[in-house]
Amino acid sequence: MAPAKRLLIVHHTQSGNTGMLAEAVLRGAGRVDGVDTRLMRAFDAGTDDLLACDGLLLGTPENFGTMSGALKDFFDRTYYPCEGKLVGLPYAVFVSAGNDGTGAVREIGRIANGYGWKQVAEALIARKEITAGHLNAAEELGEAMASGLAMGIF
């Protein structure tokens, strides 16, 4: 039997909104057999965690039109040690935004491009207050990512 695929969810939350989305993503991923999913705070995740995963979900609030400083710190700490080692890694993004959210998605995409990662789902942007619809969409994102890994689609 093939070893389980590993899905890493790295997130930062200040107000708790992105944390609610991250928990929903984790619930969705947990519905899929054959995938070990790990949820980590951005400040706690590091190079070893990133190198050990087969897929990555990134969650952040949008702060001042971009990602949180904590997620940027994660990228700063892992980029050079992982450079060239994760080309083609499937990833997707979820953002909690007061207004827009597209700035955070754009900046994460630029950095992900530098790593050579492959975006496999449209970014989930939850604007304003977190609703049941946002949480359902986050669960679907987690389940879709885990299913894609389990089936070898990406």
Side-chain angles (χ1 to χ4, degrees), residues 5-103:
K5 297 289 185 165
R6 294 169 306 251
L7 175 59
L8 178 63
I9 304 167
V10 176
H11 79 291
H12 175 72
T13 190
Q14 193 72 35
S15 69
N17 288 337
T18 308
M20 287 191 292
L21 293 173
E23 290 291 337
V25 167
L26 179 64
R27 277 193 305 277
R31 296 181 189 139
V32 180
D33 292 330
V35 177
D36 291 331
T37 304
R38 186 162 185 210
L39 175 65
M40 298 188 75
R41 292 182 34 211
F43 282 132
D44 297 331
T47 302
D48 291 342
D49 304 301
L50 188 54
L51 290 172
C53 78
D54 299 299
L56 179 64
L57 287 165
L58 299 162
T60 184
E62 182 173 68
N63 294 338
F64 305 110
T66 190
M67 75 192 89
S68 71
L71 191 60
K72 176 66 168 55
D73 172 75
F74 169 74
F75 290 139
D76 289 344
R77 288 182 290 107
T78 61
Y79 183 80
Y80 288 111
C82 294
E83 189 174 20
K85 297 178 182 173
L86 296 168
V87 173
L89 182 75
Y91 85 97
V93 176
F94 56 98
V95 176
S96 170
N99 294 310
D100 182 51
T102 59

